[in-house]
Amino acid sequence: MSLKKRDEDGGSLLCMDLEKSRVLQEARAFHATTTDITKCCQILTRILLLINQGESIATKEATETFFAMTKLFQSKDVTLRRMLYLAIKDMAKLSEDVIIVTSSLTKDMTGREDVYRGAAIRALCRITDGTMLHSIERYMKQAIVDRNPSVASAALVSSVHLLQSGNDLVKRWVNEAQEAVSSDNPMVQYHALSLLYHIRKHDRLAISKLVAKYARSSLRSPYALCLLIRIAAKVLQEFEPGSEPGTERLLHDFLETCLKHRNEMVLYEAARALASMPNADARDIAPSVSVLQLLLTSPKPTLRFAAVKTLNRVAMQHPVAVTTCNLDLENMITDSNRSIATLAITTLLKTGREGNIDRLMKQISSFMGEITDEFKVVVVEAIRSLCARFPRKHDTMLRFLGTALRDEGGVEFKRAIVDTIISVVQESSDAKETALSHLCEYIEDCEHTDLAIRILHLLGEEGARSSKPNVYIRFIYNRIILENASIRAAAVSALAKFGAVNESQLASIIVLLERCLLDGDDEVRDRATFYYRILKEQQKSLLTNFVLNRLSVSVVGLERALLQYVQDDGQHSVPFDLRSVPLAATEEPSKTVATSGASTSSTAAGGATTASRQDVYAEQLAAIPEFASLGPLFKSSPKAVDLTESETEYAVRCVKHVFKNHVVFQFDCTNTLNDQILENVTVQMEPGDEGFVVEQTIPAAKLVFNKPGTTYTCVALDADPSESTATSFSCTLKYVVKDCDPNTQEPDDDEGYEDEYVLEDIDVALCDSFAPLATGNFIGMWDELSEENEVEETYALSSMKTLEAAVDQVTSFMGMHPCERSHKIPENRSSHTLLLAGVFRSHTNVLVRARLALSDGVTLRIAVRSEDEELRQLVASSVG
């Protein structure tokens, strides 16, 4: 008996008023002597709906219902049987003793009814664990090479799921999968290739051979070809340039050959893969751009959308290469699909000439209200890239962004606009006041607290140093009168910065802060009192350290240190020392304003503060008893350094953790051999200078296949900074090897043998001993140190050909923070002054003023100020 198709009203009534207890009670109908096919199908549908809606079903209830469902195997109705398979798959996760249906599913899997076999395989593999897989291995191998495509595909897809859940027995089915790849059915071929890839994906050499093998043969399935293209692109992206030129050339030729394929799906996939290569230049991606240009004229909207979206991404890296498509893109501006039209315009914005910008902006404005927020964000991101390319068009783009800010839209759209305007403020001093005026107008009617706080923070940073600071004070004070407590607190902080920077406005700011002393919110009141007292003192050091400079320590670390101080009664006789708190990781200079505003908003709004990477490291190291006496973590290296090649048997990466008098080297090790276990793993380090002494090593107890482990080496530093700032360590990985079974990872013998593996050297440089210091008043700090604490040196950087390269090199070498946006060099300048601020690991501030002049190379005149004489001599002489 088969179910009749219901109309919409009947289908909706089936799933109305779903109540778990009622539905599970109805499942008793499965025990009836005569099976009501229609009723049982409806009950199974309700059960599936309950599960997929996230309804919680107790294990006992699920098991009882599952056992009741097994009675339905007596029915021969095709629809009911297939519904039963679906229900078994979902109920297997909730019930106990589900293996009771194994024999029934195995019978259906090996029976003659092809309509049952595929679904039975999927259900059986869902309930099968590693111990039972051996009993059905023979049936699975037969199903993989079955003549029926639905059966073979079901077996292949189920094999992929079994492999992903950790059943390595599937790796023995390689021969059957290879046979299935030669199937005439396109889906079977696709699924077989997918299984082969998942079996070998951890073996880079095997994956390269797999791609090379099928790249030479002609796969008939377009789906399989698309998958092979993606695998080939992934392999190419992981290759180091020039490491395997033969394989690289073969894979590139394969991708280029696919650009001539008759199937449009394969054509697009190959073009996208070639255009997305990370190291490709404009000439390399030209063929793929031509193919994408051809797809722009396709009558199918999906192809046009895919092509224009890919060109939009390519235009971010290679705008010149996409200019050949500009005519086709302009024709797509009037496309009936607004998503396609939006992507076309944003691509034109990235590739177009400066003269076309006004026309394109008008066209965008005409339909901004008709597209979704997702595409509005794409438009704003395109305008952001334009702002960097065409500074003279800032006024046009800021007008558009200002209008968009006042229009309706979600928070992500508004946040994208605010981010773009902030980037304009950071990049262009000429457009700063125009940009700030748009933001001032927006906060008058801003619905989003976090955005208002970010804008107020920016006004405090930038508005206070503008030519007309009094213009912004009115907008800020309005927020104190009209807004919620979080915004009022941010406005108080912004006002204080105006008073700290502008002496002419100080008296007015003090009066405004005095009005806030009686605010109803504790945070607002405390901030107003704090800044009021500091501004009344009128001391430059107080203004610099407590108003203009940002918090230099980690918020998470500060919270942890304060909690420890409060809970430890023995510490209360000693004042809390801020130097016991790890320093905060400083963001990139271009992101400083936006990030600081975001952190301010999360703190002011009462949100949870996210732990940074360094906070996580600090917590991990604090949990190791051997490192308890080292003190607070000063700095961790921003990224791990690879000490082995990617294709070697052992992968080792190193992270440096710097303390006041020590450096802890964290070695993250991975064993890539499945037939070996490594025990007692350590890294022996030999320093190149006497100022570094290896104190202790904490081994990794065991490294099994593909499960990383960590070993630490602690190195003591000499008290003299000149002896313990820079050196090179030779490293050797030492361990005990035990052979093991590749499948069970059980060692063959309890006794192993010692072995070692030579690693790359690790360098410790000057930048490792310095943390960036983000100061809001470099000139004030510089003047406060005076000329008595200054050292000057002059150097010739003959290898540097541009000021930009010299600035980047000096900044990265020092490991300090560029202040006053001095890392940005105006156009057509032959000289520049770079201002750097940093903190040495002894928590001593160091300021650097580097004057660079471009002639034959770059001449560098560096002035260093610090209270520590040895330290300033060290920094001044380190460049040479």
Side-chain angles (χ1 to χ4, degrees):
M1 180 180 176
S2 61
L3 286 174
K4 295 182 180 180
K5 186 177 180 181
R6 298 176 175 272
D7 59 18
E8 287 188 11
D9 293 336
S12 61
L13 289 172
L14 178 67
C15 301
M16 283 180 64
D17 300 327
L18 279 180
E19 187 181 345
K20 182 182 71 173
S21 57
R22 181 179 176 184
V23 172
L24 296 181
Q25 247 183 353
E26 288 176 349
R28 295 177 182 176
F30 299 155
H31 292 287
T33 307
T34 305
T35 303
D36 186 336
I37 304 299
T38 303
K39 184 177 181 181
C40 289
C41 283
Q42 291 177 352
I43 295 170
L44 288 174
T45 302
R46 294 190 186 102
I47 292 173
L48 287 171
L49 188 59
L50 280 175
I51 295 172
N52 285 283
Q53 285 180 340
E55 186 73 42
S56 176
I57 301 178
T59 303
K60 184 178 179 181
E61 294 174 331
T63 303
E64 290 176 356
T65 306
F66 185 85
F67 274 82
M69 285 161 46
T70 59
K71 301 288 185 181
L72 301 179
F73 274 103
Q74 299 173 4
S75 173
K76 301 298 181 182
D77 184 81
V78 174
T79 303
L80 179 60
R81 184 67 67 88
R82 297 187 73 176
M83 284 292 297
L84 178 60
Y85 294 138
L86 289 175
I88 287 174
K89 286 170 61 179
D90 280 357
M91 292 291 287
K93 297 177 290 185
L94 309 172
S95 312
E96 294 178 342
D97 301 325
V98 293
I99 58 174
I100 195 171
V101 295
T102 301
S103 58
S104 298
L105 290 173
T106 305
K107 180 181 177 182
D108 287 350
M109 171 184 173
T110 56
R112 296 182 180 179
E113 291 288 342
D114 287 341
V115 72
Y116 296 160
R117 293 175 62 198
I121 289 171
R122 286 190 284 270
L124 182 61
C125 289
R126 178 65 66 89
I127 68 172
T128 300
D129 56 19
T131 57
M132 295 172 50
L133 193 57
H134 291 275
S135 60
I136 64 168
E137 181 182 10
R138 177 167 61 91
Y139 303 124
M140 289 296 294
K141 286 183 176 181
Q142 291 173 354
I144 287 173
V145 295
D146 197 274
R147 292 181 181 178
N148 189 301
S150 64
V151 175
S153 280
L156 289 164
V157 173
S158 299
S159 300
V160 172
H161 290 309
L162 287 171
L163 188 63
Q164 290 176 339
S165 61
N167 293 304
D168 290 339
L169 184 65
V170 179
K171 294 180 180 179
R172 299 181 188 177
W173 306 347
V174 172
N175 293 334
E176 286 74 16
Q178 287 177 335
E179 184 177 342
V181 173
S182 59
S183 169
D184 293 332
N185 186 275
M187 291 307 297
V188 172
Q189 199 173 62
Y190 164 66
H191 290 140
L193 183 62
S194 178
L195 177 59
L196 284 176
Y197 169 70
H198 281 89
I199 289 174
R200 298 174 177 175
K201 67 179 179 181
H202 295 298
D203 187 342
R204 183 175 170 181
L205 181 61
I207 286 292
S208 299
K209 290 181 178 178
L210 173 73
V211 177
K213 175 183 176 182
Y214 291 109
R216 293 190 186 97
S217 63
S218 55
L219 292 171
R220 290 183 293 275
S221 167
Y223 310 111
L225 265 175
C226 287
L227 176 61
L228 191 64
I229 288 169
R230 293 190 178 188
I231 298 171
K234 188 172 185 293
V235 171
L236 281 172
Q237 289 171 3
E238 292 174 352
F239 272 145
E240 293 183 8
S243 59
E244 297 182 38
T247 308
E248 283 186 64
R249 187 67 261 162
L250 174 66
L251 297 182
H252 266 293
D253 290 344
F254 165 66
L255 293 178
E256 289 176 358
T257 302
C258 291
L259 290 176
K260 303 173 185 176
H261 201 274
R262 289 177 295 178
N263 187 281
E264 292 173 328
M265 181 169 60
V266 176
L267 203 64
Y268 166 72
E269 196 66 43
R272 189 183 67 86
L274 283 171
S276 304
M277 289 295 155
N279 298 318
D281 54 25
R283 185 175 59 182
D284 294 333
I285 66 171
S288 58
V289 171
S290 300
V291 171
L292 292 170
Q293 184 178 7
L294 183 66
L295 295 177
L296 291 177
T297 58
S298 170
K300 299 177 182 177
T302 50
L303 275 176
R304 295 201 307 276
F305 176 81
V308 73
K309 187 174 182 180
T310 305
L311 285 172
N312 190 284
R313 291 177 181 171
V314 173
M316 293 181 181
Q317 300 293 330
H318 307 283
V320 178
V322 186
T323 52
T324 55
C325 308
N326 281 2
L327 185 60
D328 296 294
L329 290 169
E330 289 192 9
N331 293 333
M332 297 178 73
I333 292 175
T334 56
D335 195 291
S336 57
N337 187 311
R338 285 307 187 193
S339 300
I340 295 175
T342 304
L343 287 170
I345 287 186
T346 53
T347 308
L348 283 170
L349 288 174
K350 296 172 186 176
T351 62
R353 299 185 302 275
E354 189 171 356
N356 295 337
I357 290 177
D358 292 330
R359 177 174 59 85
L360 292 173
M361 299 298 279
K362 287 180 181 178
Q363 289 177 310
I364 294 174
S365 302
S366 64
F367 62 81
M368 275 292 282
E370 302 176 25
I371 58 177
T372 62
D373 277 6
E374 180 184 358
F375 286 103
K376 288 179 181 177
V377 171
V378 174
V379 171
V380 174
E381 288 174 352
I383 293 173
R384 183 172 183 170
S385 66
L386 271 184
C387 291
R389 289 177 57 205
F390 304 118
R392 287 182 292 185
K393 289 294 182 181
H394 278 164
D395 287 343
T396 302
M397 290 178 277
L398 285 173
R399 277 198 303 273
F400 174 83
L401 293 172
T403 303
L405 263 181
R406 293 187 292 272
D407 292 341
E408 291 186 4
V411 62
E412 293 302 325
F413 172 50
K414 302 293 186 180
R415 182 177 288 114
I417 297 175
V418 171
D419 286 342
T420 303
I421 295 178
I422 289 176
S423 70
V424 172
V425 173
Q426 292 175 333
E427 298 294 330
S428 172
S429 57
D430 296 335
K432 181 172 75 173
E433 296 196 4
T434 305
L436 291 178
S437 67
H438 285 296
L439 293 176
C440 285
E441 291 179 17
Y442 174 58
I443 59 172
E444 288 289 309
D445 191 28
C446 178
E447 300 174 355
H448 310 292
T449 298
D450 60 332
L451 293 183
I453 292 174
R454 289 185 62 192
I455 293 170
L456 288 168
H457 175 82
L458 181 71
L459 291 174
E461 292 281 325
E462 303 296 338
R465 293 179 170 83
S466 65
S467 59
K468 297 178 181 179
N470 57 315
V471 173
Y472 308 107
I473 294 175
R474 175 174 61 86
F475 289 99
I476 296 173
Y477 188 67
N478 282 347
R479 309 282 62 75
I480 295 177
I481 299 172
L482 301 172
E483 298 290 355
N484 59 48
S486 299
I487 297 177
R488 296 202 306 272
V492 167
S493 299
L495 281 177
K497 292 181 181 179
F498 278 82
V501 173
N502 301 283
E503 292 185 8
S504 60
Q505 303 290 333
L506 180 59
S508 301
I509 298 298
I510 289 175
V511 171
L512 295 178
L513 290 177
E514 192 173 6
R515 295 178 184 175
C516 303
L517 296 179
L518 299 177
D519 192 275
D521 184 76
D522 292 346
E523 174 73 13
V524 179
R525 229 173 23 248
D526 290 348
R527 288 197 191 192
T529 304
F530 176 73
Y531 289 127
Y532 176 78
R533 292 296 301 273
I534 289 177
L535 292 178
K536 289 281 282 187
E537 293 291 332
Q538 298 187 26
Q539 293 184 21
K540 287 188 176 180
S541 59
L542 288 176
L543 295 176
T544 299
N545 293 329
F546 296 105
V547 180
L548 298 176
N549 286 354
R550 304 185 188 96
L551 184 67
S552 59
V553 298
S554 161
V555 175
V556 174
L558 177 61
E559 181 185 5
R560 189 185 302 116
L562 286 171
L563 185 63
Q564 183 179 356
Y565 178 80
V566 170
Q567 292 176 345
D568 189 351
D569 295 334
Q571 291 187 3
H572 293 171
S573 59
V574 181
F576 179 76
D577 188 359
L578 198 61
R579 289 178 296 181
S580 65
V581 182
L583 293 175
T586 306
E587 299 291 335
E588 293 293 325
S590 61
K591 299 177 184 178
T592 301
V593 172
T595 306
S596 302
S599 63
T600 305
S601 67
S602 66
T603 306
T609 304
T610 305
S612 66
R613 181 171 176 267
Q614 183 161 317
D615 292 326
V616 174
Y617 282 137
E619 189 171 354
Q620 291 174 351
L621 294 169
I624 300 174
E626 291 85 349
F627 299 150
S629 61
L630 300 184
L633 175 64
F634 173 72
K635 178 185 179 181
S636 295
S637 51
K639 60 181 180 179
V641 178
D642 291 319
L643 303 183
T644 58
E645 299 292 335
S646 56
E647 65 273 3
T648 54
E649 54 267 39
Y650 309 122
V652 181
R653 309 182 79 197
C654 177
V655 179
K656 291 173 281 188
H657 305 292
V658 182
F659 294 80
K660 182 178 180 180
N661 298 312
H662 295 80
V663 177
V664 173
F665 295 89
Q666 173 182 325
F667 298 96
D668 297 323
C669 311
T670 305
N671 172 23
T672 61
L673 300 176
N674 62 358
D675 58 352
Q676 286 185 357
I677 294 176
L678 308 185
E679 294 183 352
N680 195 29
V681 182
T682 61
V683 175
Q684 179 180 314
M685 304 184 69
E686 296 292 338
D689 293 287
E690 296 179 356
F692 299 82
V693 180
V694 177
E695 278 193 348
Q696 59 180 327
T697 300
I698 300 177
K702 181 187 288 187
L703 289 182
V704 297
F705 173 62
N706 261 354
K707 290 188 178 179
T710 302
T711 174
Y712 298 92
T713 301
C714 181
V715 177
L717 304 176
D718 194 281
D720 184 359
S722 62
E723 298 293 332
S724 58
T725 304
T727 192
S728 182
F729 289 86
S730 59
C731 302
T732 305
L733 186 70
K734 295 199 168 186
Y735 45 85
V736 174
V737 182
K738 290 184 179 179
D739 294 329
C740 68
D741 184 273
N743 295 318
T744 64
Q745 292 292 298
E746 292 295 328
D748 298 338
D749 193 355
D750 291 337
E751 294 186 5
Y753 58 91
E754 293 185 355
D755 200 357
E756 61 183 42
Y757 188 87
V758 178
L759 305 174
E760 297 286 341
D761 291 351
I762 298 175
D763 294 325
V764 175
L766 178 71
C767 59
D768 293 318
S769 295
F770 277 96
L773 175 62
T775 173
N777 188 19
F778 180 89
I779 302 301
M781 293 183 67
W782 181 267
D783 293 340
E784 188 179 339
L785 286 169
S786 76
E787 294 183 3
E788 296 177 359
N789 298 315
E790 181 177 323
V791 175
E792 277 197 11
E793 294 288 349
T794 304
Y795 300 96
L797 308 179
S798 55
S799 60
M800 298 294 166
K801 303 303 180 186
T802 63
L803 289 176
E804 288 81 0
V807 165
D808 291 342
Q809 185 70 22
V810 171
T811 303
S812 61
F813 176 77
M814 296 286 187
M816 301 184 188
H817 181 73
C819 304
E820 312 288 342
R821 293 198 196 123
S822 57
H823 62 293
K824 298 290 184 183
I825 303 174
E827 294 181 358
N828 303 321
R829 293 287 294 272
S830 59
S831 62
H832 183 68
T833 300
L834 173 65
L835 308 177
L836 300 173
V839 182
F840 192 65
R841 50 183 158 82
S842 60
H843 290 274
T844 305
N845 292 346
V846 177
L847 304 180
V848 175
R849 185 176 63 194
R851 289 173 174 160
L852 303 102
L854 183 64
S855 54
D856 294 332
V858 174
T859 302
L860 170 65
R861 185 179 179 185
I862 183 172
V864 183
R865 288 190 181 184
S866 175
E867 294 178 349
D868 189 320
E869 182 179 357
E870 290 184 354
L871 196 53
R872 60 178 181 260
Q873 289 285 357
L874 169 66
V875 175
S877 60
S878 62
V879 179

